Amino acid sequence: MEAYKRWVRRNRDYVRQLSSLASGMTWLLPERFAASEIGPEAVSSILGMFTTVNDHIIETTPTSMHTSSAETSFLPLSLCLTLLRDLETLIEVVAEQLYGEDKKWNLIALTEAAKVCVRLAVLRTTGYKMLLQGGETENLEVPQENMGHLRKPIQNQGLGANHLQGLNSWNLEGRAMSALSSFGQNARMESEPTWLRRVQQQQAILEPPAKIIRNPSLSTFLSEKGIRGGLFVTGETMFVLRPLIYVLLVRKYGTRSWFPWFISLAVDVIGNSMLSATTMSRDSRKDQHFRFSKSEKDELKRRKLLWVLYLMRDPFFSKYTRRRLESTQKTVEPVPVVGFFAEKLIELLIGAQTRYTYMSGS
């Protein structure tokens, strides 16, 4: 396995280009959306898993002699989520082939429940940060309200003469104490042998002091953030639970019912509104407790863009979107080249719509 990792890291560009080419070629496999064809979907899932593993190997290329905490704690969870995403379409196809259209939702619900458990674990282990790409991307942003806490230990180390001078520079006694402190520091440094200082520098490079970063518990997070912390956790939890809620409702009421469609949309809108409300406050001092980073703001935009998938979910699709696509196809069909590509594109959209996993947005 180590030899394979070294090969992937040495040929990262080639591996990524090959993965992209193979992934694109899977859409040209015959009868990709046929109900009786498991083979093409299995090929696509296996290629997706290989791509995921290769990307994980490339991203975890050691850049120093020390292993980051993210590599040992977070990435395995994100890797599990990505592998589940690669497998879920194959699971749906196999379930439909073995158990039929109605009972396939049992296995889909189990898959979504597994993703919920992993995402909640990611949310907890990251100290209740926003899940980027559904937890598949590590949130490395340091909250702005914590920057002051990170700077304080640095500023309080080795105060010495500067600290005394800053406190007592207005009188003669203070200046005398500052001079004595500076003299003591210089004398100590000059009295140390050169080899000892060299050894200490090497040890500082090879064995830096371990930084123990403890993520807050839920109770600590809520006590520090207050009401807006509760809104944030509730909004993220609703985002995590929404696909499972939708699948369970479809399993009970069927795909032709509007009830699962509306409930899922309501959960999305309310959850996103709660997340947006966490940064809204009239008290400027309280605003410092919750500010989204650029990547988190981009994540909120991405989640809103996913609402477009509601146009591709039944019953909205069968009643409105499909009719519009078919009428558009008939309109552009006489046009050379454009009609051909429009027909293929609409065929792919209609075929993809029959798979829950392509339109789930989870």
Side-chain angles (χ1 to χ4, degrees):
M1 187 62 183
E2 292 299 325
Y4 179 73
K5 287 182 179 181
R6 289 193 295 269
W7 182 84
V8 169
R9 287 164 179 167
R10 284 197 305 265
N11 303 276
R12 61 180 64 190
D13 294 334
Y14 172 75
V15 170
R16 282 173 171 168
Q17 292 176 2
L18 185 62
S19 298
S20 300
L21 178 62
S23 178
M25 292 296 292
T26 56
W27 287 91
L28 302 178
L29 292 174
E31 299 182 0
R32 176 177 173 81
F33 297 107
S36 60
E37 276 297 326
I38 299 178
E41 202 59 60
V43 172
S44 178
S45 296
I46 292 172
L47 286 175
M49 293 174 66
F50 269 111
T51 301
T52 298
V53 172
N54 289 336
D55 288 341
H56 172 68
I57 293 173
I58 293 172
E59 290 172 0
T60 55
T61 301
T63 56
S64 63
M65 300 181 63
H66 305 282
T67 304
S68 64
S69 59
E71 182 179 352
T72 59
S73 60
F74 183 88
L75 285 179
L77 291 176
S78 65
L79 187 61
C80 289
L81 283 171
T82 310
L83 292 176
L84 277 173
R85 177 174 55 81
D86 294 331
L87 277 175
E88 60 184 1
T89 305
L90 178 61
I91 293 174
E92 179 182 357
V93 174
V94 172
E96 183 176 353
Q97 184 71 20
L98 296 179
Y99 304 108
E101 176 67 24
D102 295 333
K103 293 187 176 181
K104 76 174 184 179
W105 295 101
N106 295 330
L107 279 179
I108 294 177
L110 290 176
T111 305
E112 291 293 353
K115 291 164 69 176
V116 165
C117 294
V118 177
R119 281 173 176 159
L120 290 178
V122 172
L123 185 63
R124 179 178 178 274
T125 55
T126 55
Y128 301 96
K129 293 181 181 180
M130 183 178 291
L131 300 177
L132 304 181
Q133 298 291 329
E136 296 179 20
T137 301
E138 184 178 5
N139 191 344
L140 295 175
E141 297 287 347
V142 178
Q144 294 183 13
E145 63 270 17
N146 292 339
M147 294 302 293
H149 299 291
L150 292 177
R151 294 190 186 103
K152 286 179 181 179
I154 299 175
Q155 294 175 352
N156 292 335
Q157 290 175 358
L159 297 175
N162 294 331
H163 180 64
L164 293 171
Q165 184 177 358
L167 292 177
N168 304 312
S169 59
W170 55 275
N171 59 9
L172 183 61
E173 182 181 358
R175 288 195 293 269
M177 291 295 294
S178 176
L180 287 174
S181 178
S182 299
F183 176 78
Q185 290 288 338
N186 295 332
R188 184 180 64 83
M189 291 298 297
E190 292 176 0
S191 63
E192 291 179 350
T194 304
W195 66 268
L196 179 59
R197 290 200 297 270
R198 186 180 297 113
V199 170
Q200 290 175 348
Q201 291 174 357
Q202 291 177 352
Q203 288 179 348
I205 296 174
L206 297 177
E207 299 179 2
K211 295 181 180 179
I212 301 175
I213 301 176
R214 296 180 180 178
N215 291 318
S217 62
L218 179 59
S219 59
T220 304
F221 180 84
L222 294 178
S223 64
E224 292 178 354
K225 304 298 182 180
I227 296 177
R228 288 179 298 165
L231 290 175
F232 175 81
V233 173
T234 304
E236 280 296 283
T237 304
M238 293 179 72
F239 167 74
V240 171
L241 292 177
R242 198 276 311 164
L244 179 59
I245 293 173
Y246 176 76
V247 169
L248 292 177
L249 292 177
V250 169
R251 177 174 171 267
K252 181 177 182 180
Y253 296 99
T255 56
R256 296 183 179 181
S257 173
W258 283 97
F259 186 67
W261 192 90
F262 276 114
I263 293 297
S264 178
L265 179 60
V267 172
D268 262 337
V269 173
I270 294 173
N272 194 276
S273 299
M274 286 184 173
L275 292 175
S276 299
T278 57
T279 57
M280 297 179 182
S281 175
R282 295 182 180 178
D283 190 343
S284 60
R285 291 176 299 176
K286 292 182 179 179
D287 277 342
Q288 296 178 359
H289 292 291
F290 232 112
R291 293 180 181 177
F292 290 146
S293 63
K294 183 180 183 302
S295 59
E296 291 171 339
K297 292 178 182 178
D298 293 339
E299 172 65 17
L300 289 177
K301 294 178 183 178
R302 185 192 73 87
R303 294 181 186 181
K304 290 180 180 179
L305 288 175
L306 290 178
W307 295 356
V308 178
L309 293 176
Y310 281 97
L311 302 178
M312 299 296 294
R313 294 174 191 159
D314 283 329
F316 192 95
F317 177 81
S318 58
K319 291 184 178 295
Y320 302 104
T321 307
R322 182 162 186 166
R323 294 177 183 177
R324 179 65 63 180
L325 289 175
E326 290 176 348
S327 63
T328 302
Q329 179 182 354
K330 292 179 181 179
T331 302
V332 301
E333 186 176 4
V335 182
V337 182
V338 177
F340 172 79
F341 284 106
E343 179 183 0
K344 293 301 179 182
L345 177 60
I346 293 173
E347 180 183 350
L348 284 175
L349 288 175
I350 294 176
Q353 192 276 335
T354 60
R355 304 279 168 80
Y356 158 78
T357 49
Y358 289 145
M359 302 298 161
S360 64
S362 64

